[in-house]
Amino acid sequence: MPGSDRRAHAPTLLSFAQQRLWFLDRLRPGRPDHNVPTAVRLRGRLDQDALVRALTEVVRRHEVLRGRIVDSGDGPRHVTDPVGSFVPTITDLTHAPAEQARQRVRELMAADLATPFDLGTAPMLRARLIRTAPDDHLLLLVIHHIACDGWSLSVLWEEISAGYGAAVEGRPIALADLPVQYADFADWQRNNQDGAALQEQLSYWREQLADLGLSVLPTDRARPAVWSGRGDQVEIEIPAELADRVRALGRAHEVTPFMTLLAAFQVLLARCTGRADVTVGTPISGRTRIEVEPLIGFFVNTLVLRTDLSGDPGFTDVLARVRRCAVEAYAHQDVPFERLVQELRPERDLGQHPLFTVMFQLEDPPALPSGLPGIEVSDHRIPNEVAKFDIEVSLTDRGDRITGVIRYATDLFERDTVRQLSEGFRALLDQLVGSPERPVSAWETPPGLRASRSATAAVPPAAPRSGADRAGAPVAPVARTATETELLVLEIWAEVLGAAPDDVHGDFFELGGHSLLASKIMSRLGRALDLELPVTLLFFHPTVAELADAVDAALLVDLGAAEAEPRPAEAEPLLAEAEALPAEAEPLPAGKARHP
């Protein structure tokens, strides 16, 4: 991957993953869904100036942290601002009583976590140092996911540690030059998206995910029409003795601990859903090129792992099936998840993920700064109240035991249900690992987790589209002459899409429209009419006639001749790429996603 000779601060392309997050931000602005927080407690005589120098050097080195996104006529572009755009906040609470200081710390952390980023303004990193005593500090960093992932946090803390040590000792901060920047990776990814190798990988995924049915756990409540993101979590622990047996079984059958844990959880999913075709998602680092390993950025990719558990196999056979599925997925990991969703074009549904509803991952312990002279560093736990999937199992290998959490959507599940799921997984894992030759049907499903415990809630049907009556029967459009606005929309659609619909009832998405093309259409339409038009308008009104009516209404409002009709709270016809996750394709990172 060659480094770029681009001019400093020149606009650059976004990666596929960045473009999806930018689009989601445009669709639902003002939300902190993609904030990635990390915090550490620092005990000892901290040199604040040295810490600020170290932080600033990291931001200087990694252009993606001091970037902003601009919307050009050809789609979004990344622009790098000078390092001066990054200014850490220092809050001194040493004069407050202890309990008052602790309460203020909680308030500041909650406010920082809940504050969304403006992607049009640099930087993508916020830093707050809270001083509660002369020898006790809390460092909170909040980064937008568009600029980082779990692996990035390890790079971040490593560079902060090196920079702080040098600054304290009065030495220049001398870190190895970065071979490339994130923008170079994005450019490389774009230039290789249509290569023969990628097309072969796409063919694999089309075959692997053909006729895919979702593995949806029975829920306690009806699924909402629109994903809210509200969540909670239940802790899970696999004790040392059981963890050792998991590793030993894996070694005997040449599978990793991740594969063994996943296999057991997929058996549990099969029991709970009544389906032998079980699908989960899992994150993978996405850093297949050595040049990008030292970079901070959004590289993580999401793989869809689909396992066939039919035929009542023994657990050893399940392990072999999971291993084969995982190894094949790793071999075809270069397809960006966003590109995969675009290719498969699953049915759009704002209430759930289109390719899987359960995420499963095994992580390394959270990264921490190390080697800070005179400083004792400890992890500061940050509560996570965001749900990105129905169920997200996030495990951490502590070396002896395995711990973790099961995050869940509170719109769907009661806490007690997820607690039973956590206990049931550990109990079933113990059974399967203890006698792996027995068929999986021989094991009793943990109490309370049978598929019959509650009926799977049906997704409320979408509201009838324009051109359909209340019963859903199509209504033939009345022939009429297109309005001037409709003719303008048709002209721009033909220019951008390369084809025009047959009439004004043609649907943008059915013509192959996607997020980048939507941005181009609304940008050109706005320039033609000298009017600011949000890209979301096209998703609320996806046909030529509907969009033209909405634009005419906006024109009237702009002229002060009428009040705008209130905009719907959420879009029904949302683009498949935007639905790739209710929030994102990777869970909120705590540490590096392991190479399973």
Side-chain angles (χ1 to χ4, degrees):
M1 183 186 302
S4 175
D5 58 358
R6 53 191 161 79
R7 294 181 295 106
H9 315 311
T12 58
L13 292 169
L14 305 187
S15 68
F16 290 111
Q18 283 186 314
Q19 183 173 301
R20 173 174 53 81
L21 289 193
W22 170 84
F23 176 75
L24 287 171
D25 183 77
R26 292 284 298 271
L27 188 66
R28 298 178 182 177
R31 294 168 62 121
D33 298 352
H34 306 298
N35 288 3
V36 178
T38 181
V40 293
R41 189 171 183 181
L42 307 170
R43 292 184 177 93
R45 289 291 177 177
L46 181 71
D47 186 331
Q48 293 186 6
D49 291 339
L51 182 61
V52 170
R53 280 189 59 195
L55 282 166
T56 304
E57 175 63 9
V58 173
V59 176
R60 184 198 68 78
R61 283 169 53 79
H62 298 272
E63 294 177 357
V64 71
L65 292 177
R66 49 191 171 94
R68 54 188 170 87
I69 312 299
V70 299
D71 186 11
S72 68
D74 293 322
R77 293 291 187 272
H78 183 274
V79 175
T80 303
D81 278 4
V83 71
S85 63
F86 171 70
V87 180
T89 300
I90 298 178
T91 304
D92 192 342
L93 301 178
T94 54
H95 300 296
E99 182 54 39
Q100 183 178 338
R102 283 192 290 269
Q103 177 60 29
R104 184 57 180 153
V105 167
R106 289 190 290 267
E107 292 172 352
L108 288 169
M109 289 187 64
D112 285 354
L113 296 179
T115 301
F117 281 85
D118 175 4
L119 295 186
T121 304
M124 293 296 109
L125 164 66
R126 297 195 297 259
R128 182 187 294 272
L129 180 66
I130 305 175
R131 187 173 187 243
T132 56
D135 59 351
D136 199 352
H137 295 74
L138 181 71
L139 176 61
L140 172 65
L141 306 179
V142 183
I143 316 171
H144 196 284
H145 200 2
I146 208 166
C148 84
D149 54 19
W151 182 301
S152 298
L153 298 183
S154 297
V155 175
L156 177 75
W157 288 127
E158 182 180 338
E159 293 197 359
I160 288 175
S161 300
Y164 180 82
V168 164
E169 296 173 6
R171 296 182 285 106
I173 299 177
L175 294 168
D177 291 340
L178 296 173
V180 294
Q181 289 286 339
Y182 186 84
D184 300 317
F185 163 77
D187 184 63
W188 171 83
Q189 185 187 61
R190 295 285 181 174
N191 289 334
N192 287 273
Q193 65 174 307
D194 295 319
L198 190 64
Q199 290 302 318
E200 183 275 328
Q201 293 197 24
L202 275 171
S203 296
Y204 164 81
W205 287 111
R206 291 190 195 100
E207 180 178 352
Q208 175 70 6
L209 302 181
D211 303 318
L212 181 68
L214 294 183
S215 300
V216 181
L217 284 165
T219 60
D220 296 313
R221 286 182 286 275
R223 184 178 297 276
V226 177
W227 189 265
S228 74
R230 290 186 291 269
D232 200 353
Q233 62 187 35
V234 168
E235 294 185 356
I236 183 172
E237 178 170 340
I238 299 170
E241 184 273 335
L242 178 53
D244 286 342
R245 287 194 285 128
V246 166
R247 298 186 185 97
L249 180 64
R251 288 192 296 270
H253 293 275
E254 299 183 330
V255 298
T256 65
F258 166 79
M259 294 175 187
T260 306
L261 295 166
L262 173 62
F265 193 76
Q266 288 190 310
V267 170
L268 184 63
L269 281 179
R271 289 290 186 83
C272 294
T273 63
R275 293 177 54 89
D277 182 7
V278 182
T279 303
V280 303
T282 192
I284 194 166
S285 71
R287 300 181 187 236
T288 58
R289 302 286 301 236
I290 192 171
E291 303 98 314
V292 303
E293 290 188 2
L295 292 185
I296 292 172
F298 187 12
F299 296 92
V300 71
N301 199 11
T302 301
L303 301 179
V304 185
L305 303 181
R306 183 183 188 182
T307 305
D308 178 10
L309 299 182
S310 62
D312 195 20
F315 189 56
T316 53
D317 190 17
V318 174
L319 289 176
R321 297 183 191 187
V322 169
R323 181 183 186 276
R324 182 169 56 252
C325 171
V327 170
E328 289 179 357
Y330 304 154
H332 297 86
Q333 65 172 287
D334 291 333
V335 178
F337 185 75
E338 298 74 21
R339 177 71 182 274
L340 180 61
V341 174
Q342 181 180 344
E343 288 287 329
L344 297 179
R345 300 187 67 83
E347 182 179 352
R348 297 190 294 270
D349 182 349
L350 287 175
Q352 70 181 23
H353 193 287
L355 297 183
F356 58 86
T357 62
V358 176
M359 172 71 82
F360 191 95
Q361 66 170 333
L362 179 65
E363 301 175 311
D364 287 326
L368 294 174
S370 61
L372 303 184
I375 301 296
E376 177 189 341
V377 181
S378 59
D379 183 33
H380 187 87
R381 187 171 180 178
I382 299 174
N384 182 7
E385 298 179 351
V386 176
K388 299 175 174 64
F389 311 91
D390 290 10
I391 293 290
E392 177 189 335
V393 182
S394 181
L395 302 175
T396 301
D397 193 338
R398 301 286 178 180
D400 52 358
R401 70 196 193 286
I402 296 172
T403 65
V405 296
I406 299 181
R407 299 187 183 96
Y408 63 97
T410 54
D411 288 345
L412 301 177
F413 299 103
E414 298 286 354
R415 182 177 182 83
D416 189 58
T417 299
V418 182
R419 182 187 57 77
Q420 290 176 355
L421 185 69
S422 172
E423 295 173 356
F425 173 52
R426 186 174 64 180
L428 186 61
L429 177 67
D430 191 9
Q431 295 175 26
L432 294 170
V433 171
S435 298
E437 301 298 333
R438 296 182 66 183
V440 295
S441 64
W443 301 115
E444 180 183 352
T445 302
L449 292 179
R450 295 189 185 277
S452 59
R453 67 174 299 276
S454 65
T456 302
V459 180
R465 297 283 293 276
S466 177
D469 62 14
R470 292 181 180 270
V475 177
V478 178
R480 60 176 175 79
T481 303
T483 67
E484 290 186 5
T485 307
E486 289 171 344
L487 290 173
L488 176 61
V489 171
L490 283 167
E491 179 183 344
I492 293 176
W493 280 25
E495 177 185 351
V496 173
L497 295 174
D502 295 333
D503 56 37
V504 295
H505 301 287
D507 188 293
F508 172 76
F509 302 105
E510 293 174 359
L511 289 170
H514 54 73
S515 57
L516 183 57
L517 295 180
S519 178
K520 288 183 177 181
I521 282 176
M522 297 311 295
S523 175
R524 297 184 188 189
L525 190 57
R527 287 201 303 270
L529 298 172
D530 192 22
L531 185 67
E532 185 174 347
L533 295 172
V535 69
T536 52
L537 203 65
L538 183 51
F539 299 96
F540 301 138
H541 310 284
T543 71
V544 173
E546 291 171 352
L547 181 58
D549 286 344
V551 169
D552 286 340
L555 283 167
L556 288 174
V557 172
D558 192 54
L559 294 172
E563 288 295 326
E565 182 177 315
R567 191 175 74 177
E570 302 289 349
E572 182 274 323
L574 183 62
L575 178 66
E577 296 98 307
E579 291 175 325
L581 287 182
E584 56 186 287
E586 184 202 17
L588 195 65
K592 285 185 183 180
R594 303 187 66 164
H595 295 279

